[in-house]
Amino acid sequence: MAVILDLVEKLSATAEGDTITLPITTPGQAALAASWCQRTGNTLITADATSITVRRGRPPDPITDLPPARRPGARLWLYTNFDCNLACDYCCARSSPQTARRALGVDRVKEIAKAAPAAGVLEILLTGGEPFILPDLDQIVTACTAALPTTLLTNGMLFRGHRLQILQAMPRDRLTLQISLDSATPDLHDSHRGKGTWTKAVAGIRTALGEGFTVRVAATLTTDGQHEERELRSFLDSLGITRENQVVRPLAHQGAADEGVELTVQTLIPEVTITADGVYWHPVGADNAEQLVTRDIFPLDAAIELIREQYRSHRNTADSAARAFPCA
């Protein structure tokens, strides 16, 4: 009971939201402190073999501080496959023509889509790899759009022959096609994605617009220059892509990329991502074992809640550390 007496004494002299750290000698003391915190409305932040850190009071829920559309689980990413017709040198999933497919499969996508609305999902996003490699992509898209608004990511280069027919068979309502284009002229785009890919991607954008789809264009900028971004946006304006459908993001140091922004579980707001291997923290980390949260996709609501709880824990720990180390 000594640890409880110490907690009562120390916390009574502590402001709401501040933390204290106490030494412990047995695992039982940590369990006792956790139980006491649960009963008294305080928060056990960390516990190890030698100490516990406790916050006075309950922290605010970091999830409710986020806009509803950005809360963990609001957007559900599905890696339909990992193989691709391209081998971009900064691909976060290391996709290429030689990469194993690792497909989710139609049946599993249907099960996920059916469970998604009840789990609090507001939008499904399909990515890869290159989804248009899959012969049953139209069935996957139909299942997802029947459940929720859906975004399909593609490099836009395969819209011909049978794959054009698959595109034409897709619903226009509740479906957005997101096509990758990294620059306003071919040189920069092609230097990362392959010679001739810029021309094919632009043709794909025009085809998708001509077929009546809502088109979003996403660019990965490998330079810090604002000039390149301005030129790109101006070019997208000329294609008829609205500003709200122009996504410009920095290069992430993930997968095949040798440089870029460092993104970790601790620094990323999670966007629940499902692959054939399990549930990941974020789509940029779906090739990163450190971002694997669980191999159990189902029940879907439990997998999403697990990520939410981990996010709360990360944020509360970070906030407590910030309060415990004031700069003045």
Side-chain angles (χ1 to χ4, degrees), residues 65-81:
D65 289 341
L66 295 170
R70 288 295 178 178
R71 292 172 185 171
R75 304 206 309 175
L76 180 63
W77 291 78
L78 306 182
Y79 267 78
T80 59
N81 61 303

Side-chain angles (χ1 to χ4, degrees), residues 183-194:
S183 56
T185 54
D187 290 350
L188 182 59
H189 178 100
D190 287 4
S191 69
H192 295 288
R193 297 181 181 266

Side-chain angles (χ1 to χ4, degrees), residues 246-324:
Q246 298 177 17
V247 179
V248 178
R249 62 205 172 196
L251 175 66
H253 189 193
Q254 294 283 336
D258 293 328
E259 57 185 6
V261 179
E262 297 292 341
L263 300 174
T264 67
V265 168
Q266 288 75 24
T267 61
L268 277 170
I269 296 174
E271 295 208 20
V272 182
T273 301
I274 297 177
T275 79
D277 301 315
V279 183
Y280 287 76
W281 191 260
H282 196 281
V284 299
D287 184 58
N288 186 341
E290 294 181 357
Q291 294 203 28
L292 175 64
V293 177
T294 175
R295 295 196 180 276
D296 298 323
I297 298 172
F298 303 107
L300 181 62
D301 56 352
I304 291 175
E305 185 57 32
L306 178 60
I307 287 184
R308 289 174 179 154
E309 286 303 315
Q310 289 191 13
Y311 176 66
R312 289 187 180 99
S313 176
H314 289 315
R315 291 309 314 150
N316 292 337
T317 300
D319 290 346
S320 297
R323 278 192 295 273

Side-chain angles (χ1 to χ4, degrees), residues 17-208:
D18 284 347
T19 62
I20 61 168
T21 298
L22 296 177
I24 60 172
T25 57
T26 68
Q29 289 179 318
L32 188 62
S35 177
W36 181 85
C37 287
Q38 185 65 34
R39 294 196 311 271
T40 58
N42 297 295
T43 307
L44 180 64
I45 300 296
T46 61
D48 57 31
T50 61
S51 67
I52 56 172
T53 299
V54 174
R55 179 190 194 276
R56 180 171 180 177
R58 297 287 190 208
D61 188 343
I63 291 178
T64 59
D65 289 341
L66 295 170
R70 288 295 178 178
R71 292 172 185 171
R75 304 206 309 175
L76 180 63
W77 291 78
L78 306 182
Y79 267 78
T80 59
N81 61 303
F82 280 84
D83 52 333
C84 186
N85 56 310
L86 301 181
C88 303
D89 63 11
Y90 51 66
C91 178
C92 66
R94 301 181 196 268
S95 294
S96 75
Q98 288 75 44
T99 301
R101 175 152 294 182
R102 293 158 56 199
L104 266 176
V106 174
D107 292 341
R108 192 154 38 176
V109 170
K110 286 181 178 178
E111 188 175 357
I112 293 168
K114 184 177 180 181
V121 178
L122 303 179
E123 179 186 5
I124 295 173
L125 298 99
L126 302 172
T127 189
E130 172 49 53
F132 271 90
I133 287 178
L134 299 175
D136 49 11
L137 181 61
D138 52 342
Q139 297 178 53
I140 289 172
V141 170
T142 297
C144 292
T145 55
L148 289 165
T150 299
T151 295
L152 173 60
L153 281 69
T154 174
N155 56 42
M157 294 176 53
L158 299 178
F159 300 159
R160 58 186 182 274
H162 175 63
R163 294 186 177 109
L164 177 58
Q165 294 175 353
I166 288 178
L167 174 69
Q168 292 169 333
M170 290 179 182
R172 274 53 170 181
D173 295 337
R174 303 220 292 184
L175 178 63
T176 297
L177 294 179
Q178 179 168 308
I179 299 175
S180 301
L181 189 74
D182 294 338
S183 56
T185 54
D187 290 350
L188 182 59
H189 178 100
D190 287 4
S191 69
H192 295 288
R193 297 181 181 266
K195 185 175 178 59
T197 57
W198 184 91
T199 299
K200 292 177 181 178
V202 172
I205 292 169
R206 290 188 168 121
T207 295

Side-chain angles (χ1 to χ4, degrees), residues 4-21:
I4 301 302
L5 294 176
D6 286 344
L7 281 171
V8 171
E9 178 184 356
K10 298 292 186 181
L11 283 180
S12 65
T14 301
E16 184 79 13
D18 284 347
T19 62
I20 61 168
T21 298

